[in-house]
Amino acid sequence: MAFDQIDRQILTLLQDDGRMTNVDLAEQVGLTAPPCLRRVRALEDAGAIRGYHAELDPASLGYPITVFAMVSLRSQAEHDLTAFEDHVAAIPEIRECHMLNGEIDFILKIVAADLKSFQDILTTHLTPAPNVASVKTSLTIRTAKALPGIPVRMG
């Protein structure tokens, strides 16, 4: 789908504030409400907008620990990769799973209530998982930048 300037404005505004009303959105992009809503629906149907979410504060909800885990597998056969992805998908504390090229096969973002909880995830769910050769972890000290979404280029 080709995105014009108004589509890009809509995407930027909704990414910044997914709770914005259609009337406010339409006003900011210079449309009336009905054509603005049609554009939003078209962006949703095209898959450019995948959903709307609240951004939650992990620490206030009992998850002050964030760890990145680099996982190497013994086999990179497609069925083994898929099996690992399915395994980590079932662990709620693993919030992100990205397959990489190079020496490390996957990087995971894990949240935990405390170090003991993280250790339990690591030792009962991750390292003994089938096909896992090694897991290297790094505990975050602080987060300097964490922007949701993507940069939307205008024009």
Side-chain angles (χ1 to χ4, degrees), residues 15-147:
Q15 182 170 246
D16 290 343
D17 181 5
R19 293 184 63 179
M20 176 180 289
T21 67
N22 183 59
V23 171
D24 290 339
L25 180 61
E27 184 178 302
Q28 289 196 38
V29 300
L31 295 173
T32 59
C36 184
L37 185 58
R38 281 193 296 276
R39 281 181 177 256
V40 170
R41 296 290 184 251
L43 291 166
E44 292 169 349
D45 292 342
I49 298 174
R50 295 192 302 197
Y52 300 89
H53 312 277
E55 184 179 346
L56 307 180
D57 177 57
S60 70
L61 293 166
Y63 294 97
I65 305 292
T66 301
V67 178
F68 288 92
M70 286 68 67
V71 180
S72 295
L73 302 180
R74 289 184 191 91
S75 165
Q76 290 74 31
E78 187 59 37
H79 68 276
D80 292 322
L81 297 171
T82 302
F84 179 77
E85 291 167 345
D86 292 344
H87 177 77
V88 299
I91 304 167
E93 293 85 359
I94 298 178
R95 303 309 299 167
E96 295 181 28
C97 174
H98 304 273
M99 190 168 89
L100 306 175
N101 73 336
E103 194 174 319
I104 303 298
D105 294 307
F106 288 92
I107 187 165
L108 310 176
K109 179 181 176 183
I110 304 169
V111 296
D114 52 39
L115 291 175
K116 167 122 178 47
S117 299
F118 167 68
Q119 182 180 359
D120 290 344
I121 294 164
L122 184 66
T123 59
T124 63
H125 296 294
L126 205 49
T127 55
N131 196 36
V132 170
S134 69
V135 179
K136 296 177 182 176
T137 62
S138 292
L139 176 71
T140 61
I141 303 301
R142 77 172 162 228
T143 300
K145 184 176 183 179
L147 296 177

